[in-house]
Amino acid sequence: MEPTSALDAHTEATVADRLKDARRGRTTVVTSTSPLVLDRADTVHYLVDGKVAATGTHRELLDAEPGYRALVARDADAEEVAG
C-alpha cells in the first residue's frame, strides 16, 4: 500500500519535501510509486520481480523506462505494453 495514497496532492508534496529535508545527509530507503516522493529522491531503483532493472533519477527513468513510466503513471494500458 502506498503510504501517501490517501493524501491530497498538496499534503503529499509537503510530506515529500519534509522527508527529504529531515533525512538530508543520511541514507534513507523509501518504497513508493508516488511521483511526488520519487521526484525528490536522489536515486531511484526500479525493481522488476524483486531485482533492480534500472537506476537513475525519477525523471531519467520516466524518459528511459516504459515499465517504470507505466507503474508511476498508474497506466494499466502502458503497463501491459511495457510488461
Side-chain angles (χ1 to χ4, degrees):
M1 172 181 254
E2 177 64 49
T4 60
S5 64
L7 303 177
D8 62 78
H10 176 75
T11 304
E12 184 177 5
T14 300
V15 168
D17 287 338
R18 288 185 180 170
L19 178 63
K20 183 167 177 111
D21 291 342
R23 302 305 301 162
R24 188 173 318 282
R26 297 181 176 102
T27 299
T28 304
V29 177
V30 177
T31 355
S32 181
T33 58
S34 163
L36 290 168
V37 172
L38 293 166
D39 194 41
R40 285 156 178 82
D42 296 323
T43 304
V44 176
H45 298 288
Y46 169 49
L47 303 177
V48 176
D49 296 326
K51 296 180 181 154
V52 176
T55 299
T57 67
H58 170 63
R59 292 168 196 253
E60 289 168 346
L61 293 175
L62 282 175
D63 289 341
E65 295 294 327
Y68 176 84
R69 186 170 45 253
L71 177 67
V72 172
R74 297 168 180 95
D75 183 347
D77 294 333
E79 212 168 313
E80 288 175 16
V81 170

